[in-house]
Amino acid sequence: MRKNLIASVAFLLASSTAVLAQSATDGKVKIGILNDQSGVYADFGGKSSVEAAKMAVEDFGGKVLDVPVEIVDADHQNKADIASNIARQWYDTEQVDAIMELTTSSVALAVQAIAKEKKKIDIVTGAATTDLTGKACSPYGFHWAYDTHALAVGTGGALVKQGGDSWFFLTADYAFGYSLEQQTSDYVKASGGTVVGAVRHPLSTQDFSSFLLQAQSSGAKVIGLANAGLDTSNAIKQAAEFGITQGGQHLAALLFTLAEVHGLGLEAAQGLTLTEGYYWNRDDESRAFAKKFFARTGKMPNMIHTGTYSAVTQYLKAVQKAGTDETEAVAKQLHEMPVDDVFGRGGTVGANGRMIHDMYLLQVKKPAESKEPWDYFNVLATIPGKEAYIDPAKSGCDLVK
């Protein structure tokens, strides 16, 4: 009987291990990149983020746990309902293990809620709201490249120190804009400045004239553009037509990246102060990555593209270390493992899912200062991660004890 019992236990252990391995991988690891590929944020992330994800898989060797890694992608059109439908389909029927990028805060919040319900991983690199690691945090949700608090500390803090102590906000009318306006307002006020007013505009509006006239008439020293992508570029172009900067007011592009500077051109963008989590011309490692990225996309990467590369890489490392792509095990590794790659050097992940890493305060060069194509920024300061991001214990996330 003893021999039969031992044999039975061994058989059951072997069988359960085999089933676990099969259920853990389904013969592949599948990652979905869900973002705006045709609208106002298409240059911000778009298809270039998809290429960054594919680069990460290739650089990892194309496999993890001896099974292939597959990247799928879709355009959510900046609509939370479309994104939610895609996410449910991916998780429920297409065996997608993790969804990433998720440009647009309303989209990211909706998909993270679904991922939490389904007990699946999501890693946000394209959206900004701190709610993702605050009141809407998830044990399976992670926020990677930047957030509204880091932008407020970087760009907002720099301009207040330079004398820009009165602000008027031109804000995108959805969760991201509200969060960025609130975070920057709080930081301006805490630094001794004042907020004299704000106006909200629809996403993807083509005419900023009425909003800019209100900002101009406010007399604020700084007009904070709490928007992104083509909305920011169009606001800057139209502000020039009204002579706003010539009249002495300063434009603060609170979320502006290398991609938008390139689209706007140095002549129009020169002098703008902005904050990013990565700059391609920072050092030899960054330049080597950017060269590979440029060969695939025809552009240099911004923090969204490189952040997506980092997120995919870290996810695969977590799967490898966990020995499975089972969600609980991978999430545990993502919380515990340090982040050390071309994007997140010395990064750590808080209990609320916020990846904490250094940010960079940048200023757009004058055309005469640029030495080569895409050489657009002077690095004014490095903002340590602990200053840039909210302490997880103060984030409002109920996962933090």
Side-chain angles (χ1 to χ4, degrees), residues 39 79 86 118 192 200 205 240 272 303 310 352 356 365 386:
K79 296 178 181 178
I86 294 169
K118 303 288 184 183
R200 291 175 175 173
T205 188
L272 283 173
M303 66 178 171
S310 172
N352 61 345
I356 299 168
K365 291 182 175 183
K386 290 185 178 180

Side-chain angles (χ1 to χ4, degrees), residues 79-145:
K79 296 178 181 178
D81 57 342
I82 292 176
S84 296
N85 289 337
I86 294 169
R88 288 186 184 281
Q89 181 178 338
W90 277 359
Y91 284 144
D92 290 345
T93 66
E94 298 189 21
Q95 299 175 323
V96 169
D97 299 293
I99 298 177
M100 303 186 194
E101 221 269 37
L102 296 168
T103 305
T104 312
S105 292
S106 54
V107 164
L109 288 166
V111 172
Q112 180 156 292
I114 292 168
K116 183 177 182 180
E117 171 196 335
K118 303 288 184 183
K119 295 188 176 181
K120 294 283 189 177
I121 299 290
D122 73 277
I123 305 180
V124 177
T125 58
T129 179
T130 53
D131 285 351
L132 288 161
T133 51
K135 62 184 181 181
C137 68
S138 163
Y140 317 116
F142 300 86
H143 200 179
W144 221 248

Side-chain angles (χ1 to χ4, degrees), residues 4 35 47 58 64 69 184 253 282 304 315 323 332 354:
N4 288 339
N35 62 4
K47 282 290 189 180
E58 291 168 14
V64 64
V69 180
T184 309
R282 182 180 61 194
I304 314 305
Y315 175 77
K332 183 176 185 294
R354 174 68 258 174

